[in-house]
Amino acid sequence: GFGFGLAALATDALGPDRTWFGSELGICAPARIERFPYGSIPHPMILGSMVGLIGIAALDPLRSAWPWLVPTHVAFYAAHLLQEILDLHVR
């Protein structure tokens, strides 16, 4: 619950347009968001989602039925986080 709660707070701070890549797609102007959790926790939406997914991995029925599901999602989130940290964006 903590991880997905953090991601929800990040979504609220960004607003719907920026949550769905509005800035990257040119729908809204880029802006530095300082509202919590931004400015306090680096990359809160990605980190919150990763923590939430790792918590879901603790559910034995899900882990038994689809052992690849959570690790695959977390790996893709980690790749996206690395992209954000290294600022690897096509300009």
Side-chain angles (χ1 to χ4, degrees):
F2 173 79
F4 291 128
L6 178 61
L9 286 172
T11 299
D12 186 54
L14 286 176
D17 288 339
R18 284 192 173 80
T19 296
W20 300 110
F21 302 103
S23 181
E24 290 86 344
L25 295 173
I27 295 169
C28 54
R32 184 157 186 88
I33 308 299
E34 294 294 332
R35 186 172 151 205
F36 184 81
Y38 290 94
S40 302
I41 300 171
H43 309 284
M45 190 175 295
I46 298 170
L47 290 175
S49 296
M50 289 173 75
V51 169
L53 285 169
I54 290 168
I56 285 177
L59 300 171
D60 188 49
L62 177 99
R63 194 174 58 250
S64 296
W66 299 292
W68 52 269
L69 186 65
V70 171
T72 302
H73 275 76
V74 170
F76 279 115
Y77 269 122
H80 181 58
L81 180 61
L82 187 62
Q83 175 192 20
E84 290 284 324
I85 291 170
L86 298 176
D87 195 28
L88 300 174
H89 301 282
V90 177
R91 304 231 187 252

